[in-house]
Amino acid sequence: MRFIYKLPLRFRSLFRKTRVEQELSEELRFHLEKLIEENVAKGLAAEEARYTALRELGGMEQIKEECRDMRRVNYIENFIQDLRYGLRMLVRNPGFTAVAVVTLGLGIGVNTTIFSFVEGFLLRQPPVKDPARVMMLCSVDPKGDFMPDKAPVSAPDFLEWRSETNSYSGMAAAAFDSFTLSGSVAPERVPAGQVSADYFRVLGVAPLRGRDFAPDEDQLGHAKVVLISENLWQQRFGSDPRTIGQTLKIDGEDYTVIGVVPSRFRIWIFPAQLWIPLDFKPGQLGSEGRKDHFLNVFARLKAGVSQVQAHAELATIAQRLAAQYPESNKGWGANVVALEKYMADMSNTRPAVSVLMAAVIFVLLIACSNLANLLLARNTSRQREFAIRAALGAGRLRLARQLLSECMLLSLAGAGLGLAISVVSLDLLRTQLNWNEFAFLLAQEVHIDKSVLLFTLAVSVLAALTFGLAPALQISRSGPAAGLKENSRTTSAGHEHRRMQNFLVVGELALSLILLVGASLFVRSFIDELRVPPGFNPDHLLTASVSLSGTRYKDPARRAAFVQNMLRELESSPEVQSAALTRHLPFQFPWSISFAVEGQPGVAPKEQPSAGHFLISPNYFHTTQIPLLEGREFTQSDHAGSPPVVIVNEAFARKYFPKENPLGRHIKISRGQQTAPWSEIVGVTANIKEFSGQTAPRPHLFEPLLQEPSETVKIIVRTRGDPTAFSESLRRAVFTVDKDQAITLFRTMNKVIQDSAQGDDIMAELMATFAGLALLIATVGVYGLLAYLVGRRTQEFGVRMALGAPRSEIVRLVMRGTTFLIVIGAGIGFLVSLALPRLFAASFTGFHVSSAAILIGAPAIVVLVAMVACYIPARRASKVDPMVALRYE
Amino acid sequence: MSKPTDLVQGTLDLLILKTIALEPMHGWGIAQRIRQVSKEVLQVNQGALYPALHRLEQSGWIKAKWGESDHNRRAKYYALTAAGRKYLEQEESNWKRLSTAIGLVLETAE
């Protein structure tokens, strides 16, 4: 019931403040008058009565203050008052405010950007229901060298796992590949998945339209149905609802569209635009099938079952299978990996992520130290103000609260700026993600992460709080009297503050040096990569990809015919200088193949040497302008009926025929047949690079496409004019040869090289940005701090100059203390960064950089910049007129 | 700001509430009345009185009204609210119990 009285009171206190104050004054005045009356009645003179009364009453103001306290809306009032005061203080020192806000903004903005980027790109939670319960079941390959514990699974193994295990509420298998989509649309190669009927159910994804696969639709002989992605639906079918029920040709066979899968379902290591049921052919289920590992198995843990339990169960089953089918399964184990971890490991981005995170933390630390320094420096000068307020009765809490609100204002401003920066830079970054189609898809996923925003906000607030509140604590410890005595005439800053500031300066410089060294290493490595010539002439080269799959090209002769027809068609075009076909482009990793060398003792197939294996058409070396050192190119006469021939590269020749000319010698290529013919070496070519960071060339051997036509070929065309302009003509040329053929991936050779860098350039850019940023913030910090401190000592300098000290003496005075700090900071940074080259080389493949220049140059830069930063204010201090300085307060 | 007698805050509240239970009074009057009735023993410190009054008002035990006092001067009169009256009863009985108990201890402790 009391609130009836309380509410109006609160209301009045808040909004009718003046009125309430007036009433309070009146009330106390009445009391005073009564007191005076009493004194007069006691016999005192009027004046004395008044004084006595006043004395008896005690401090009027204090009583009023206490009454105000009782009103309990004080907190809000005070808060608003603090805010206004804080705002005024900040506006009055625009330099300080600007530096603090910008520092904070940059630190937060960069942080948020990178975190959001990393999160969206690399650490994204898989877009399935309840991702923590979705596992990848993998085989463990006893002899594999690339991720042996995440090997794909064979079909019979999968089926047995599914029937024998109890830990999962659902298990589904998927095989991902590219298929040619044609029929009512122009032919196109799309990534696709062959999946179990309950694939989407296991992952918890419901179709946007239409229906999911029925449970029996992945059995052999069932109707051919397909689910398409929303993306495909929009782009190729214009989101037409009648698409459902239409027939599409996939690799030449008819499939009916039954549904659309929402676009947010995207497992980026297994991209797919359409899904067809996975039906196992009899050959895949037999004992041979057990050796064919091609399935990715997804499973959802049953409620209450842990990953460890599931793993144990699966491992036991794998052991039993190994014993049961020793020929195929011996030594093979099984592994249960969380989908998230699987995706992260597959993308092999851990080292890059760690480095980026470290860089981010460094920048944040530097920004916070800056802020801390600024706050400490500034608040030192406000000691006097605080002392006075404390003497006037402000409690410690009150002072702290006022400082708090100032810091909050700063933090909020900084955070606002940071948010703006991150929005802009994320947009910029997104446009950079274009090195392949995966990256582009991912770019769509990158946006500001709310948790990151909260994190950065928390950090900024914490930083501001910690250092903004320091002076309040200072006051309470030493008491107001000490503060009152403190002013510019005496020596500046308490010792504790000084030590803290020194520590921060040293820290900032060390951190920015480390960052600078790290970034330089990256940038240098990347530049080095680019500088090594690729070994051929990549200009004016257009490439495209064609797939000779499906029923029509089952016969190798048909494929060879395509190659010949294609060459003929292209060479007839006037814009074409020369053309060739190949299975792998330069700057793509070729597959390896084993072989035996004539005249050298035979060895078991597993022990045989291997080399990179290229399949090329005639004219390949002419088109790419890879120098032919000896012998000849392949010609049209090297076809299926003629004697098998190979060409090798220099590295191969040097390794296997070190003292002789390899021309005319023979090697036997192992293709799993019992009797393989010996191929004659007819040519030797120069080495080319396979990837940007390659330091030592690997042996390569080339076989004619006409003798071994592959199912995918790439077309390379050297054009007379601009290669990109030729794309349409190329498409038409392919169409002329085979109108059902899909052609994709038009890229110039230069783009291929660029793309193969796979984001190294972004890494280098990012790191460079970080280093630059760090250096900038640190420099501004040192400068700002010093300028401020020097400003505080202006009077002291005035005295010195008046006493006869020359200007250079002043400069030297200022520099002496800080130079010491700078050297210490640079020294610490230098020592730590000595470890960096080795660390990077261990974490990143192909990272070879000579670091001597960087390790000497970077500290030099940091020291130089810092010295300049403290020289400027020192010089300015020395330029001041001594009289002005003396009067400066 | 010395206090002639050490009055605990709660006790002061009790005295104030009791004093204005009979009739509404202004601050000065309350102090006078307490002094009178206690035979000059309890001298309420003005520095404590007004904050206490304001606090009681904020808590809703008493309500204030401006009125005319002698010589046509305006003064702020305080009166008990219904809740305040109940609170007073409660506190009064508490106090009685407490003082009885203390008395017992003081008498028997030798």
Short mmCIF file of all heavy atoms in Angstrom, two decimals, chain A residues 2 5-6 9-10 23-24 26-28 30-31 33-35 37-38 56-57 63 66-67 70-71, chain B residues 26 28 32 35 46-47 50-51 54-55 57-59 61 63 66 69-70 73-76 78 81 83:
data_model
loop_
_atom_site.label_atom_id
_atom_site.label_comp_id
_atom_site.label_asym_id
_atom_site.label_seq_id
_atom_site.Cartn_x
_atom_site.Cartn_y
_atom_site.Cartn_z
N ARG A 2 2.07 1.06 0.44
CA ARG A 2 2.90 2.24 0.63
C ARG A 2 3.25 2.90 -0.69
O ARG A 2 3.57 4.06 -0.77
CB ARG A 2 4.20 1.85 1.35
CG ARG A 2 3.97 1.47 2.78
CD ARG A 2 5.28 1.22 3.46
NE ARG A 2 5.83 -0.05 3.10
CZ ARG A 2 7.13 -0.25 2.95
NH1 ARG A 2 7.99 0.73 3.12
NH2 ARG A 2 7.57 -1.45 2.62
N TYR A 5 2.12 6.24 -1.85
CA TYR A 5 2.80 7.46 -1.42
C TYR A 5 4.16 7.57 -2.07
O TYR A 5 4.64 8.65 -2.38
CB TYR A 5 2.95 7.44 0.11
CG TYR A 5 1.63 7.32 0.80
CD1 TYR A 5 1.22 6.10 1.34
CD2 TYR A 5 0.78 8.41 0.91
CE1 TYR A 5 -0.01 5.98 1.96
CE2 TYR A 5 -0.45 8.29 1.52
CZ TYR A 5 -0.84 7.07 2.04
OH TYR A 5 -2.05 6.95 2.64
N LYS A 6 4.77 6.40 -2.26
CA LYS A 6 6.14 6.42 -2.75
C LYS A 6 6.23 6.89 -4.20
O LYS A 6 7.08 7.69 -4.55
CB LYS A 6 6.76 5.03 -2.62
CG LYS A 6 7.13 4.72 -1.21
CD LYS A 6 7.29 3.25 -0.91
CE LYS A 6 8.49 2.62 -1.53
NZ LYS A 6 8.77 1.32 -0.94
N LEU A 9 6.13 10.55 -4.94
CA LEU A 9 7.33 11.18 -4.41
C LEU A 9 8.48 11.03 -5.39
O LEU A 9 9.19 11.99 -5.70
CB LEU A 9 7.71 10.53 -3.07
CG LEU A 9 6.93 11.02 -1.86
CD1 LEU A 9 7.37 10.26 -0.63
CD2 LEU A 9 7.14 12.51 -1.66
N ARG A 10 8.65 9.80 -5.86
CA ARG A 10 9.74 9.56 -6.81
C ARG A 10 9.58 10.43 -8.03
O ARG A 10 10.51 11.02 -8.57
CB ARG A 10 9.75 8.10 -7.27
CG ARG A 10 9.95 7.10 -6.20
CD ARG A 10 11.43 6.83 -5.97
NE ARG A 10 11.59 5.68 -5.11
CZ ARG A 10 11.51 5.72 -3.79
NH1 ARG A 10 11.27 6.85 -3.17
NH2 ARG A 10 11.64 4.62 -3.09
N GLU A 23 11.29 23.39 -1.56
CA GLU A 23 10.56 22.98 -0.35
C GLU A 23 11.51 22.60 0.76
O GLU A 23 11.31 22.95 1.93
CB GLU A 23 9.64 21.80 -0.66
CG GLU A 23 8.43 22.21 -1.46
CD GLU A 23 7.49 21.03 -1.68
OE1 GLU A 23 7.76 19.94 -1.14
OE2 GLU A 23 6.49 21.23 -2.39
N LEU A 24 12.55 21.92 0.39
CA LEU A 24 13.53 21.52 1.39
C LEU A 24 14.16 22.74 2.05
O LEU A 24 14.28 22.82 3.28
CB LEU A 24 14.61 20.64 0.73
CG LEU A 24 15.67 20.08 1.65
CD1 LEU A 24 15.04 19.24 2.74
CD2 LEU A 24 16.66 19.26 0.86
N GLU A 26 12.92 25.63 2.27
CA GLU A 26 11.93 26.30 3.10
C GLU A 26 11.77 25.61 4.43
O GLU A 26 11.69 26.25 5.48
CB GLU A 26 10.58 26.30 2.37
CG GLU A 26 10.06 27.69 2.09
CD GLU A 26 8.66 27.63 1.54
OE1 GLU A 26 8.53 27.26 0.36
OE2 GLU A 26 7.72 27.96 2.29
N GLU A 27 11.73 24.31 4.36
CA GLU A 27 11.52 23.54 5.58
C GLU A 27 12.64 23.80 6.57
O GLU A 27 12.42 24.06 7.76
CB GLU A 27 11.46 22.06 5.23
CG GLU A 27 11.04 21.18 6.39
CD GLU A 27 10.97 19.72 5.98
OE1 GLU A 27 11.28 19.40 4.81
OE2 GLU A 27 10.61 18.90 6.84
N LEU A 28 13.86 23.78 6.07
CA LEU A 28 14.99 23.98 6.96
C LEU A 28 15.06 25.42 7.44
O LEU A 28 15.46 25.70 8.59
CB LEU A 28 16.29 23.60 6.24
CG LEU A 28 16.46 22.10 6.05
CD1 LEU A 28 17.72 21.79 5.27
CD2 LEU A 28 16.48 21.40 7.39
N PHE A 30 12.56 27.29 8.01
CA PHE A 30 11.56 27.42 9.09
C PHE A 30 12.17 26.98 10.42
O PHE A 30 12.04 27.62 11.44
CB PHE A 30 10.34 26.56 8.72
CG PHE A 30 9.29 26.54 9.78
CD1 PHE A 30 8.43 27.63 9.96
CD2 PHE A 30 9.15 25.45 10.64
CE1 PHE A 30 7.45 27.62 10.93
CE2 PHE A 30 8.17 25.44 11.61
CZ PHE A 30 7.32 26.52 11.77
N HIS A 31 12.84 25.82 10.32
CA HIS A 31 13.47 25.27 11.51
C HIS A 31 14.49 26.26 12.07
O HIS A 31 14.57 26.50 13.28
CB HIS A 31 14.13 23.94 11.16
CG HIS A 31 14.61 23.18 12.36
ND1 HIS A 31 14.00 22.04 12.80
CD2 HIS A 31 15.66 23.42 13.20
CE1 HIS A 31 14.65 21.58 13.86
NE2 HIS A 31 15.65 22.41 14.13
N GLU A 33 14.61 29.48 11.72
CA GLU A 33 13.97 30.64 12.32
C GLU A 33 13.46 30.33 13.72
O GLU A 33 13.61 31.13 14.64
CB GLU A 33 12.81 31.10 11.43
CG GLU A 33 13.29 31.82 10.21
CD GLU A 33 12.16 32.13 9.25
OE1 GLU A 33 10.99 31.85 9.59
OE2 GLU A 33 12.46 32.64 8.16
N LYS A 34 12.88 29.16 13.82
CA LYS A 34 12.40 28.74 15.16
C LYS A 34 13.54 28.68 16.14
O LYS A 34 13.41 29.07 17.31
CB LYS A 34 11.74 27.36 15.06
CG LYS A 34 10.37 27.39 14.45
CD LYS A 34 9.42 28.15 15.32
CE LYS A 34 8.03 27.61 15.21
NZ LYS A 34 7.13 28.27 16.17
N LEU A 35 14.66 28.20 15.65
CA LEU A 35 15.85 28.08 16.51
C LEU A 35 16.33 29.46 16.95
O LEU A 35 16.68 29.69 18.11
CB LEU A 35 16.95 27.36 15.73
CG LEU A 35 17.95 26.52 16.53
CD1 LEU A 35 17.24 25.58 17.46
CD2 LEU A 35 18.80 25.75 15.56
N GLU A 37 14.50 32.12 17.12
CA GLU A 37 13.52 32.62 18.08
C GLU A 37 13.83 32.14 19.48
O GLU A 37 13.82 32.89 20.45
CB GLU A 37 12.12 32.14 17.72
CG GLU A 37 11.40 32.99 16.71
CD GLU A 37 10.06 32.39 16.36
OE1 GLU A 37 9.50 31.64 17.20
OE2 GLU A 37 9.60 32.67 15.24
N GLU A 38 14.11 30.86 19.56
CA GLU A 38 14.40 30.25 20.85
C GLU A 38 15.61 30.90 21.48
O GLU A 38 15.62 31.20 22.69
CB GLU A 38 14.66 28.76 20.64
CG GLU A 38 14.43 27.93 21.89
CD GLU A 38 14.87 26.49 21.67
OE1 GLU A 38 15.99 26.30 21.14
OE2 GLU A 38 14.09 25.59 22.02
N GLU A 56 24.27 25.43 15.76
CA GLU A 56 23.53 24.28 16.30
C GLU A 56 22.94 23.42 15.21
O GLU A 56 22.90 22.20 15.31
CB GLU A 56 22.39 24.78 17.20
CG GLU A 56 22.85 25.10 18.61
CD GLU A 56 21.68 25.51 19.47
OE1 GLU A 56 20.59 24.92 19.27
OE2 GLU A 56 21.84 26.39 20.29
N LEU A 57 22.48 24.08 14.20
CA LEU A 57 21.82 23.33 13.14
C LEU A 57 22.82 22.41 12.44
O LEU A 57 22.47 21.36 11.94
CB LEU A 57 21.19 24.30 12.14
CG LEU A 57 20.22 23.70 11.14
CD1 LEU A 57 19.10 22.99 11.85
CD2 LEU A 57 19.66 24.79 10.26
N ILE A 63 23.02 18.77 5.52
CA ILE A 63 21.72 18.20 5.85
C ILE A 63 20.90 18.04 4.58
O ILE A 63 20.26 17.01 4.33
CB ILE A 63 20.94 19.09 6.84
CG1 ILE A 63 21.74 19.21 8.12
CG2 ILE A 63 19.57 18.52 7.09
CD1 ILE A 63 21.04 20.03 9.18
N GLU A 66 22.09 15.16 2.68
CA GLU A 66 21.63 13.90 3.24
C GLU A 66 20.17 13.65 2.92
O GLU A 66 19.77 12.52 2.63
CB GLU A 66 21.83 13.90 4.75
CG GLU A 66 23.21 13.42 5.14
CD GLU A 66 23.26 12.95 6.57
OE1 GLU A 66 22.44 12.10 6.94
OE2 GLU A 66 24.13 13.45 7.30
N CYS A 67 19.38 14.72 3.00
CA CYS A 67 17.98 14.55 2.66
C CYS A 67 17.84 14.12 1.20
O CYS A 67 17.02 13.28 0.85
CB CYS A 67 17.20 15.84 2.90
SG CYS A 67 17.01 16.20 4.64
N MET A 70 18.36 10.65 0.80
CA MET A 70 17.22 9.86 1.20
C MET A 70 16.19 9.73 0.10
O MET A 70 15.39 8.81 0.10
CB MET A 70 16.54 10.49 2.43
CG MET A 70 17.40 10.43 3.66
SD MET A 70 17.87 8.74 4.01
CE MET A 70 19.44 9.00 4.79
N ARG A 71 16.24 10.65 -0.78
CA ARG A 71 15.19 10.65 -1.79
C ARG A 71 15.36 9.49 -2.78
O ARG A 71 14.49 9.16 -3.53
CB ARG A 71 15.18 11.97 -2.56
CG ARG A 71 14.51 13.07 -1.82
CD ARG A 71 13.80 13.98 -2.78
NE ARG A 71 14.75 14.64 -3.66
CZ ARG A 71 15.29 15.81 -3.39
NH1 ARG A 71 15.00 16.44 -2.28
NH2 ARG A 71 16.14 16.36 -4.23
N HIS B 26 5.24 19.62 12.44
CA HIS B 26 6.40 19.87 11.59
C HIS B 26 7.67 19.49 12.34
O HIS B 26 7.65 19.19 13.54
CB HIS B 26 6.44 21.32 11.12
CG HIS B 26 6.29 22.32 12.24
ND1 HIS B 26 7.19 22.41 13.27
CD2 HIS B 26 5.34 23.24 12.46
CE1 HIS B 26 6.80 23.37 14.09
NE2 HIS B 26 5.66 23.88 13.63
N TRP B 28 10.31 20.93 13.54
CA TRP B 28 10.68 21.65 14.76
C TRP B 28 9.82 21.15 15.92
O TRP B 28 10.31 20.87 17.01
CB TRP B 28 10.49 23.14 14.53
CG TRP B 28 10.63 23.95 15.77
CD1 TRP B 28 9.63 24.50 16.51
CD2 TRP B 28 11.85 24.33 16.41
NE1 TRP B 28 10.11 25.19 17.58
CE2 TRP B 28 11.51 25.10 17.53
CE3 TRP B 28 13.20 24.10 16.16
CZ2 TRP B 28 12.43 25.64 18.40
CZ3 TRP B 28 14.13 24.64 17.03
CH2 TRP B 28 13.74 25.40 18.14
N GLN B 32 10.90 19.43 19.50
CA GLN B 32 10.50 20.03 20.77
C GLN B 32 9.76 19.03 21.63
O GLN B 32 10.03 18.85 22.82
CB GLN B 32 9.59 21.25 20.51
CG GLN B 32 10.28 22.39 19.82
CD GLN B 32 11.37 22.98 20.68
OE1 GLN B 32 12.49 22.49 20.67
NE2 GLN B 32 11.05 24.00 21.45
N ARG B 35 11.82 16.39 23.15
CA ARG B 35 12.62 16.95 24.26
C ARG B 35 11.77 17.09 25.50
O ARG B 35 12.14 16.70 26.61
CB ARG B 35 13.17 18.31 23.83
CG ARG B 35 14.64 18.44 24.13
CD ARG B 35 15.22 19.70 23.62
NE ARG B 35 14.46 20.87 24.06
CZ ARG B 35 14.71 22.09 23.60
NH1 ARG B 35 15.64 22.28 22.71
NH2 ARG B 35 13.98 23.11 24.03
N GLN B 46 19.29 18.04 14.90
CA GLN B 46 18.61 18.45 13.66
C GLN B 46 19.23 17.80 12.43
O GLN B 46 18.56 17.54 11.44
CB GLN B 46 18.67 19.96 13.49
CG GLN B 46 17.87 20.72 14.51
CD GLN B 46 18.69 21.05 15.73
OE1 GLN B 46 19.68 20.36 16.00
NE2 GLN B 46 18.30 22.07 16.47
N GLY B 47 20.55 17.59 12.51
CA GLY B 47 21.20 16.98 11.37
C GLY B 47 20.72 15.58 11.11
O GLY B 47 20.81 15.07 10.00
N TYR B 50 16.00 15.70 10.08
CA TYR B 50 15.43 15.91 8.74
C TYR B 50 15.72 14.78 7.77
O TYR B 50 14.83 14.34 7.04
CB TYR B 50 15.84 17.27 8.18
CG TYR B 50 15.05 18.36 8.85
CD1 TYR B 50 15.60 19.07 9.91
CD2 TYR B 50 13.75 18.61 8.47
CE1 TYR B 50 14.86 20.03 10.57
CE2 TYR B 50 12.99 19.56 9.12
CZ TYR B 50 13.55 20.27 10.17
OH TYR B 50 12.82 21.19 10.83
N PRO B 51 16.96 14.30 7.74
CA PRO B 51 17.18 13.12 6.90
C PRO B 51 16.26 11.97 7.29
O PRO B 51 15.73 11.26 6.42
CB PRO B 51 18.64 12.77 7.15
CG PRO B 51 19.27 14.07 7.50
CD PRO B 51 18.23 14.82 8.26
N HIS B 54 12.77 12.64 5.99
CA HIS B 54 12.70 12.41 4.56
C HIS B 54 12.75 10.94 4.22
O HIS B 54 12.09 10.46 3.30
CB HIS B 54 13.82 13.17 3.85
CG HIS B 54 13.49 14.61 3.63
ND1 HIS B 54 13.19 15.13 2.41
CD2 HIS B 54 13.38 15.64 4.52
CE1 HIS B 54 12.93 16.43 2.52
NE2 HIS B 54 13.03 16.75 3.81
N ARG B 55 13.54 10.24 5.00
CA ARG B 55 13.63 8.82 4.73
C ARG B 55 12.32 8.12 5.01
O ARG B 55 11.85 7.29 4.23
CB ARG B 55 14.74 8.20 5.57
CG ARG B 55 14.96 6.72 5.28
CD ARG B 55 16.23 6.20 5.89
NE ARG B 55 16.70 6.95 7.03
CZ ARG B 55 16.28 6.80 8.27
NH1 ARG B 55 15.39 5.89 8.55
NH2 ARG B 55 16.75 7.56 9.24
N GLU B 57 9.50 9.45 4.92
CA GLU B 57 8.54 9.85 3.90
C GLU B 57 8.75 9.01 2.64
O GLU B 57 7.79 8.51 2.04
CB GLU B 57 8.71 11.32 3.58
CG GLU B 57 7.63 11.85 2.63
CD GLU B 57 7.91 13.27 2.20
OE1 GLU B 57 8.95 13.84 2.62
OE2 GLU B 57 7.12 13.82 1.42
N GLN B 58 10.01 8.83 2.23
CA GLN B 58 10.30 8.04 1.05
C GLN B 58 9.87 6.61 1.21
O GLN B 58 9.50 5.95 0.24
CB GLN B 58 11.81 8.07 0.75
CG GLN B 58 12.32 9.40 0.26
CD GLN B 58 11.78 9.76 -1.11
OE1 GLN B 58 11.81 8.98 -2.04
NE2 GLN B 58 11.27 10.98 -1.23
N SER B 59 9.91 6.12 2.46
CA SER B 59 9.52 4.73 2.67
C SER B 59 8.02 4.57 2.74
O SER B 59 7.49 3.47 2.75
CB SER B 59 10.12 4.19 3.98
OG SER B 59 11.51 4.31 3.94
N TRP B 61 5.99 5.58 5.26
CA TRP B 61 5.38 5.46 6.59
C TRP B 61 4.67 6.75 6.98
O TRP B 61 3.70 6.73 7.74
CB TRP B 61 6.44 5.14 7.66
CG TRP B 61 7.30 3.96 7.37
CD1 TRP B 61 8.65 3.95 7.36
CD2 TRP B 61 6.91 2.62 7.06
NE1 TRP B 61 9.15 2.71 7.09
CE2 TRP B 61 8.09 1.87 6.89
CE3 TRP B 61 5.69 1.97 6.91
CZ2 TRP B 61 8.07 0.52 6.58
CZ3 TRP B 61 5.69 0.63 6.60
CH2 TRP B 61 6.87 -0.09 6.44
N LYS B 63 3.36 10.83 5.65
CA LYS B 63 3.10 11.66 4.49
C LYS B 63 3.20 13.12 4.92
O LYS B 63 2.96 13.46 6.09
CB LYS B 63 1.74 11.35 3.89
CG LYS B 63 0.58 11.48 4.85
CD LYS B 63 -0.72 11.10 4.15
CE LYS B 63 -1.89 11.39 5.06
NZ LYS B 63 -2.61 10.22 5.53
N TRP B 66 1.97 20.66 3.36
CA TRP B 66 2.33 22.02 3.74
C TRP B 66 1.13 22.70 4.38
O TRP B 66 0.01 22.64 3.92
CB TRP B 66 2.78 22.81 2.52
CG TRP B 66 4.17 22.44 2.11
CD1 TRP B 66 4.54 21.46 1.26
CD2 TRP B 66 5.38 23.02 2.60
NE1 TRP B 66 5.89 21.39 1.16
CE2 TRP B 66 6.44 22.35 1.98
CE3 TRP B 66 5.67 24.07 3.50
CZ2 TRP B 66 7.77 22.67 2.22
CZ3 TRP B 66 7.01 24.39 3.73
CH2 TRP B 66 8.05 23.68 3.09
N SER B 69 1.68 27.63 10.00
CA SER B 69 1.97 27.52 11.43
C SER B 69 1.79 28.90 12.06
O SER B 69 1.18 29.78 11.47
CB SER B 69 3.39 26.99 11.62
OG SER B 69 4.29 28.08 11.72
N ASP B 70 2.37 29.07 13.22
CA ASP B 70 2.18 30.37 13.90
C ASP B 70 2.78 31.48 13.05
O ASP B 70 3.70 31.27 12.26
CB ASP B 70 2.85 30.33 15.27
CG ASP B 70 4.32 29.91 15.15
OD1 ASP B 70 4.65 29.17 14.18
OD2 ASP B 70 5.12 30.32 15.98
N ARG B 73 3.37 31.48 8.96
CA ARG B 73 4.50 30.97 8.18
C ARG B 73 4.17 29.58 7.66
O ARG B 73 3.44 28.82 8.31
CB ARG B 73 5.76 30.88 9.05
CG ARG B 73 6.53 32.19 9.08
CD ARG B 73 7.76 32.05 9.90
NE ARG B 73 7.39 31.78 11.29
CZ ARG B 73 8.26 31.86 12.29
NH1 ARG B 73 9.52 32.21 12.05
NH2 ARG B 73 7.90 31.59 13.52
N ARG B 74 4.74 29.26 6.50
CA ARG B 74 4.47 27.94 5.95
C ARG B 74 5.44 26.92 6.55
O ARG B 74 6.61 27.18 6.69
CB ARG B 74 4.65 27.95 4.42
CG ARG B 74 3.43 28.56 3.77
CD ARG B 74 3.41 28.44 2.28
NE ARG B 74 4.37 27.59 1.65
CZ ARG B 74 4.06 26.51 0.94
NH1 ARG B 74 2.79 26.15 0.81
NH2 ARG B 74 5.00 25.81 0.35
N ALA B 75 4.89 25.78 6.89
CA ALA B 75 5.75 24.72 7.40
C ALA B 75 5.26 23.39 6.86
O ALA B 75 4.08 23.24 6.52
CB ALA B 75 5.75 24.72 8.93
N LYS B 76 6.15 22.43 6.86
CA LYS B 76 5.81 21.12 6.32
C LYS B 76 5.39 20.22 7.47
O LYS B 76 6.20 19.91 8.35
CB LYS B 76 7.04 20.55 5.63
CG LYS B 76 6.75 19.46 4.63
CD LYS B 76 8.03 19.21 3.80
CE LYS B 76 7.82 18.06 2.86
NZ LYS B 76 9.06 17.60 2.26
N TYR B 78 4.04 16.64 9.04
CA TYR B 78 4.11 15.21 8.74
C TYR B 78 3.05 14.47 9.53
O TYR B 78 2.80 14.79 10.69
CB TYR B 78 5.48 14.63 9.13
CG TYR B 78 6.61 15.16 8.27
CD1 TYR B 78 7.36 16.28 8.68
CD2 TYR B 78 6.91 14.56 7.07
CE1 TYR B 78 8.39 16.75 7.89
CE2 TYR B 78 7.95 15.04 6.28
CZ TYR B 78 8.68 16.13 6.69
OH TYR B 78 9.69 16.61 5.92
N THR B 81 0.86 7.49 7.91
CA THR B 81 -0.02 6.82 6.96
C THR B 81 -0.56 5.57 7.61
O THR B 81 -0.13 5.19 8.70
CB THR B 81 0.75 6.42 5.69
OG1 THR B 81 1.75 5.46 6.08
CG2 THR B 81 1.37 7.60 5.03
N ALA B 83 -0.18 2.55 6.73
CA ALA B 83 0.91 1.58 6.85
C ALA B 83 1.86 1.97 7.96
O ALA B 83 2.36 1.12 8.70
CB ALA B 83 1.65 1.49 5.53
#
